[in-house]
Amino acid sequence: MGKFVISTRKNGEFQFNLKAGNGEVILTSEGYTAKASCLNGIESVKKNASDDNRYDRKEAKNGKFFFNLKAGNGQIIGSSEMYESASGRDKGIESVKRNASDATTDDQSA
């Protein structure tokens, strides 16, 4: 089962990572100035993760692959790591779909 881990960045902003059952980070948020906004971001991921149309599949200039998960308004709510192949990226998307909806939240921000 997946979990969202909330942490505090060095600049004081909050962010979350969605981790798969094996502990691997599969989605990372932007920085949020308020914890409430970070929690709203998590809810948005849970709401949008199952909709395949919300995923923006990308290829970086260095030839690696990644994806962004977008909310209904088009705003990016999470980004993946870089993958060596398009199939790796697509497996990452499937992992987000499987893990996000019933993931627990672990608040590690201080």
Side-chain angles (χ1 to χ4, degrees):
M1 186 164 121
K3 71 176 175 179
F4 290 95
V5 178
I6 299 173
S7 59
T8 309
R9 293 179 171 180
K10 287 180 180 157
N11 65 1
E13 290 183 338
F14 298 93
Q15 77 169 44
F16 64 81
N17 286 314
L18 173 59
K19 293 187 175 186
N22 64 4
E24 185 176 333
V25 174
I26 51 178
L27 193 72
T28 300
S29 76
E30 64 181 0
Y32 296 96
T33 53
K35 189 184 290 189
S37 300
C38 188
L39 292 168
N40 287 341
I42 289 172
E43 290 307 311
S44 186
V45 169
K46 289 182 175 186
K47 188 171 104 179
N48 290 288
S50 62
D51 185 346
D52 195 64
N53 295 321
R54 298 278 191 247
Y55 292 89
D56 216 355
R57 293 159 173 85
K58 302 275 202 179
E59 184 176 350
K61 289 187 172 91
N62 64 4
K64 296 195 178 201
F65 299 86
F66 69 102
F67 63 87
N68 292 317
L69 175 60
K70 292 185 171 183
N73 63 5
Q75 183 177 358
I76 294 172
I77 48 179
S79 300
S80 73
E81 64 180 5
M82 292 291 175
Y83 294 94
E84 295 297 325
S85 66
S87 65
R89 175 197 59 209
D90 294 343
K91 285 179 185 168
I93 290 171
E94 292 307 313
S95 184
V96 171
K97 288 179 182 177
R98 273 195 317 274
N99 285 283
S101 63
D102 60 355
T104 59
T105 300
D106 179 7
D107 186 350
Q108 297 182 356
S109 63

